[in-house]
Amino acid sequence: MAYVSNAADRSRRTNKATSLESTNVLGLSTVFESRHLRRLGHPCPPIPCEHTGRRNIDGLLLLHAGDCDTSGRCRYDPTWESLDQRPLPAWYDEAKFGIFLHWGVFSVPSFAGAWFQEYWRGNRTDVVEFMKNNYRPGFTYADFAAQFTAEFYNPDEWAEIFNASGARYVVLTSKHHEGFCNWPTKYSFNWNAMDVGPRRDLVGDLANSIRKETTIKFGLYHSLFEFVNPMFLQDQKNEFKTQDLVKFKTMPELYELVNLYKPDVIWSDGDWMAPSTYWNSTEFIAWLYNDSPVKDTVVTNDRWGKDATCKHRGFYTCHDRYNPGVAQNHKFEDATTVHKTYWGFICNAKLTDFHTIQNPLTDLITVVSCGGNFLLNAGPTPDGMIGPIYEERLRQMGQWLKVNGDAIYGTRPWATQNDTATPGVWYTSKKSSTGISVYAITLSWPVGDKLELAVPHPGPATTVTLLGYPGPRTYISPCQDTLDSKLAPQQE
């Protein structure tokens, strides 16, 4: 449910959401409207709500290092000090919700996730038993590639599902740690989707459909290292004092991907064993920001070396499923899964292995309230389908966002993230023509159809509405210590 408040304060519905505008917005999704909205603790007479305590998100500030021309375009040096000054393109912070896709040869065994190759190589007991019981002696990991057929892959259908989910960007695996490339690269002979398996350009086909059918931004995940690449293993043996993998494979692939597909997100991974100097990360990112075909729109994450994670570049991921639960000073992203454990398709998954819609919705709300983006992962099948459970969760996200999207898209953290009177209420805010809108989003329908909020303190002109419901449906007592919102009975 979500509430909204305005210099006229309004409220709407979030799990429901409420919005306050001055003014300010809340979320059941409910909306408050009033010219004056105060936080609890001030005397009852209204005062102008000119400041809402909105936090600045590092990376959105217009700070630059390097040379800037008269138009304001800057060039960045290949150093973290310089690159960290580049503003985060506005589209990413406004988008809030994206879809992650883990798809590759690991989707064929569909057992133990995207790290299947490494688990098998490391003799993990359940993986060894799985291979012994299901495949002939002498079967190798490379033999799985021919079974990665993608015969039912219809990128137009995928685009329709993603559009219905309410996602504003999609990040597809171009290459995971197994090294298999989902595009016809010049740098991976016979270990790419054109030479073996699908016999088509999986990356290019989805990029074209996304751009043809939707306004969703297209991004790519790319692993810097590969489990069994001899060049990497030799570089690792040499304590990363040599860079054969980087020079002859990793960096050529990244430049090729950007020039061919012009992604708006580069989601790097596989960096943690070596420093960013080994990966030549700053040189690539400087080119990306200065001279690439996506220099004005592209965003990057922080996984560019063991010295860079959670410290440098556009948005922080820090670790998988990163949800700090408190407001952050730097833009971050929570990448998480519909499956409770694995990122790729799992053939022996049970219904209880998947999150209900309540889990990703709660994550979305809490992450956005704290200033982050939410990236929800689905694992397509080896024959190219988005499975029914994944499709259902994505469409459910879209159904909720269709009602409550005002409390999510384009919002910023408010001065307070949680309410002190009612657990499970999260706040977001947004600029409006009259000031600031504040949304209060509650994770469950309130007992007795009454939502009590202690943090916002409305003035006499405040009104409250519920997102998705016409007209005011609330009662407000402006001189009490809490704001009580009376809602229409919950519809079954």
Side-chain angles (χ1 to χ4, degrees):
M1 191 185 306
Y3 283 105
V4 182
S5 154
N6 216 288
D9 302 329
R10 304 166 283 158
S11 164
R12 316 178 187 192
R13 167 175 176 167
T14 110
N15 251 335
K16 288 165 187 147
T18 298
S19 149
L20 299 176
E21 291 184 18
S22 29
T23 159
N24 308 294
V25 188
L26 309 177
L28 254 250
S29 293
T30 294
V31 182
F32 302 98
E33 291 200 348
S34 100
R35 290 193 180 136
H36 308 293
L37 181 68
R38 295 165 290 123
R39 293 181 60 189
L40 189 62
H42 293 285
C44 190
I47 59 173
C49 185
E50 297 175 354
H51 303 286
T52 60
R54 183 164 57 93
R55 297 170 182 264
N56 289 325
I57 302 297
D58 186 21
L60 299 180
L61 302 179
L62 296 177
L63 302 175
H64 300 279
D67 297 325
C68 301
D69 59 26
T70 55
S71 68
R73 178 179 295 281
C74 300
R75 292 191 65 82
Y76 301 93
D77 299 325
T79 65
W80 288 126
E81 181 182 11
S82 177
L83 296 171
D84 285 345
Q85 301 308 311
R86 188 231 190 195
L88 189 72
W91 76 261
Y92 177 80
D93 185 57
E94 294 170 358
K96 304 303 181 188
F97 175 45
I99 294 172
F100 214 178
L101 297 166
H102 275 65
W103 198 31
V105 170
F106 55 81
S107 304
V108 176
S110 56
F111 184 85
W115 279 57
F116 182 90
Q117 183 184 30
E118 182 67 5
Y119 296 150
W120 188 15
R121 193 167 70 113
N123 292 314
R124 202 175 94 170
T125 303
D126 59 337
V127 174
V128 171
E129 285 298 311
F130 173 82
M131 291 304 301
K132 180 180 177 181
N133 294 334
N134 294 282
Y135 293 90
R136 61 172 170 78
F139 192 94
T140 68
Y141 190 79
D143 292 330
F144 282 124
Q147 299 174 29
F148 181 35
T149 58
E151 71 256 41
F152 300 127
Y153 176 42
N154 185 333
D156 286 352
E157 290 183 357
W158 285 26
E160 187 279 324
I161 294 171
F162 302 155
N163 201 44
S165 77
R168 297 292 174 87
Y169 61 105
V170 169
V171 179
L172 171 69
T173 300
S174 65
K175 183 192 77 173
H176 206 265
H177 309 326
E178 65 187 9
F180 187 86
C181 298
N182 282 334
W183 80 101
T185 178
K186 297 182 290 186
Y187 304 101
S188 186
F189 173 73
N190 208 38
W191 195 234
N192 68 76
M194 187 62 77
D195 289 344
V196 62
R199 305 285 180 177
R200 63 188 289 187
D201 183 356
L202 303 179
V203 171
D205 289 348
L206 185 59
N208 291 337
S209 290
I210 290 287
R211 289 164 176 157
K212 177 183 67 175
E213 303 292 339
T214 76
T215 58
I216 294 171
K217 299 286 188 180
F218 181 73
L220 290 172
Y221 166 105
H222 178 268
S223 174
L224 300 178
F225 97 111
E226 300 172 14
F227 288 132
V228 297
N229 190 299
M231 290 187 289
F232 176 76
L233 297 177
Q234 187 61 50
D235 286 346
Q236 186 180 40
K237 185 177 180 180
N238 295 338
E239 298 180 341
F240 300 111
K241 294 174 183 177
T242 57
Q243 293 179 291
D244 286 350
L245 179 77
V246 177
K247 292 178 180 178
F248 300 114
K249 195 156 192 306
T250 301
M251 282 300 151
E253 286 175 350
L254 279 169
Y255 284 98
E256 182 180 55
L257 283 168
V258 172
N259 284 314
L260 282 176
Y261 305 113
K262 301 174 178 56
D264 288 308
V265 181
I266 295 291
W267 214 102
S268 180
D269 195 17
D271 61 310
W272 61 87
M273 286 178 278
S276 58
T277 51
Y278 166 74
W279 298 114
N280 289 344
S281 298
T282 56
E283 287 82 358
F284 170 73
I285 297 173
W287 170 80
L288 195 64
Y289 293 170
N290 291 328
D291 301 307
S292 79
V294 289
K295 60 182 181 293
D296 296 324
T297 60
V298 71
V299 295
T300 57
N301 66 341
D302 55 346
R303 300 188 185 188
W304 296 98
K306 64 181 183 180
D307 57 318
T309 302
C310 221
K311 295 179 182 177
H312 296 295
R313 267 337 307 127
F315 62 89
Y316 293 166
T317 61
C318 298
H319 54 75
D320 294 347
R321 303 174 178 86
Y322 178 60
N323 184 349
V326 295
Q328 300 296 296
N329 290 325
H330 192 100
K331 187 67 185 181
F332 71 96
E333 182 180 80
D334 176 14
T336 193
T337 55
V338 172
H339 191 283
K340 293 178 181 178
T341 305
Y342 295 115
W343 298 84
F345 171 69
I346 299 297
C347 62
N348 62 336
K350 301 178 177 64
L351 181 61
T352 54
D353 291 333
F354 296 93
H355 288 299
T356 65
I357 188 57
Q358 190 71 18
N359 296 88
L361 279 179
T362 298
D363 287 345
L364 171 70
I365 292 163
T366 57
V367 164
V368 170
S369 177
C370 294
N373 278 22
F374 182 60
L375 189 66
L376 183 60
N377 179 78
T381 66
D383 53 16
M385 299 293 293
I386 303 290
I389 288 288
Y390 292 112
E391 180 177 352
E392 180 181 55
R393 294 296 175 272
L394 294 178
R395 291 189 184 277
Q396 287 171 327
M397 293 292 288
Q399 290 167 359
W400 187 88
L401 284 164
K402 189 174 182 180
V403 175
N404 299 289
D406 281 355
I408 299 294
Y409 301 124
T411 62
R412 301 289 185 272
W414 193 37
T416 300
Q417 278 63 63
N418 308 98
D419 195 77
T420 55
T422 302
V425 172
W426 294 82
Y427 293 100
T428 61
S429 67
K430 184 186 296 184
K431 285 185 178 180
S432 71
S433 59
T434 55
I436 299 293
S437 296
V438 177
Y439 298 88
I441 307 172
T442 177
L443 302 179
S444 60
W445 194 271
V447 176
D449 299 326
K450 185 176 78 171
L451 181 65
E452 179 179 322
L453 301 173
V455 175
H457 199 178
T462 299
T463 61
V464 181
T465 60
L466 188 64
L467 291 178
Y469 284 76
R473 293 176 176 265
T474 61
Y475 171 76
I476 297 176
S477 300
C479 290
Q480 295 180 357
D481 287 342
T482 61
L483 184 154
D484 295 337
S485 176
K486 183 67 177 176
L487 308 174
Q490 183 179 14
Q491 297 178 359
E492 298 298 330

